[in-house]
């Protein structure tokens, strides 16, 4: 009951929060444009992304995570194990190599800080540190 009441109030703010995330993502993409070794997310022409997570694809994810941690930038890995390799799907008998693209993605994606109130200054700092790392 309490949780439902809180969520019904928060739901009214969802469109504004989603739009704020889109603007934050647009700035990240603009700041990371042309950075060697960094592939920002792409939005399909027929859809609108809400950027609950802003994940970039990089070749040296773990090294980047360590460098960002040294700068006190909180990055993360949201999906470290492809679904077909989790215990829940073990009964399917799918092993490593069954879905190679998913496996590569699990090794290369890193999530950058993202929330509706994220200051532009922090986005620029995060992007600058990523570009510095890959330069």
């Amino acid at each position: 009951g309490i949780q439902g009441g809180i969520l019904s109030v928060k739901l009214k703010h969802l469109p504004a929060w989603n739009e704020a995330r889109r603007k934050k993502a647009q700035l990240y993409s603009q700041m990371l444009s042309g950075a060697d070794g960094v592939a920002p997310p792409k939005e399909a022409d027929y859809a609108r992304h809400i950027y609950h997570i802003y994940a970039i694809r990089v070749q040296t994810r773990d090294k980047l995570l360590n460098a960002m941690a040294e700068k006190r930038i909180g990055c993360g890995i949201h999906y470290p194990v492809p679904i077909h390799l989790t215990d829940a799907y073990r009964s399917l008998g799918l092993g490593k190599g069954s879905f190679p693209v998913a496996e590569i993605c699990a090794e290369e994606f890193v999530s950058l800080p993202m929330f509706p109130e994220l200051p532009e200054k922090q986005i620029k700092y995060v992007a600058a540190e990523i570009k510095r790392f890959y330069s």
Side-chain angles (χ1 to χ4, degrees):
I2 292 174
Q3 201 172 29
I6 292 169
L7 290 176
S8 68
V9 172
K10 292 177 97 176
L11 192 59
K12 296 172 189 168
H13 300 283
L14 191 58
W17 290 339
N18 287 345
E19 190 56 37
R21 286 176 184 273
R22 285 184 189 103
K23 288 181 180 175
K24 309 300 179 184
Q26 185 179 23
L27 181 58
Y28 263 134
S29 294
Q30 179 185 354
M31 297 296 300
L32 293 170
S33 177
D36 286 338
V38 178
K42 294 182 180 175
E43 190 169 299
D45 293 335
Y46 57 84
R48 289 188 55 181
H49 201 307
I50 63 164
Y51 297 98
H52 172 68
I53 295 171
Y54 187 90
I56 59 174
R57 190 170 178 177
V58 296
Q59 295 290 316
T60 54
R61 181 193 63 199
D62 294 340
K63 289 180 183 178
L64 174 64
L65 284 172
N66 290 334
M68 295 297 102
E70 288 176 12
K71 299 289 184 179
R72 301 182 57 101
I73 298 171
C75 297
I77 303 170
H78 277 88
Y79 306 105
V81 179
I83 290 177
H84 68 284
L85 297 178
T86 63
D87 289 341
Y89 291 91
R90 182 174 290 153
S91 65
L92 296 177
L94 300 169
K96 203 161 176 71
S98 296
F99 293 97
V101 174
E103 293 166 24
I104 290 169
C105 288
E107 295 173 2
E108 295 182 349
F109 277 93
V110 60
S111 299
L112 304 184
M114 173 55 81
F115 53 95
E117 302 82 11
L118 183 62
E120 183 175 313
K121 180 179 178 181
Q122 289 182 7
I123 293 170
K124 290 180 177 179
Y125 176 67
V126 170
E129 290 301 323
I130 291 169
K131 288 170 89 171
R132 185 179 345 274
F133 176 81
Y134 283 106
S135 65

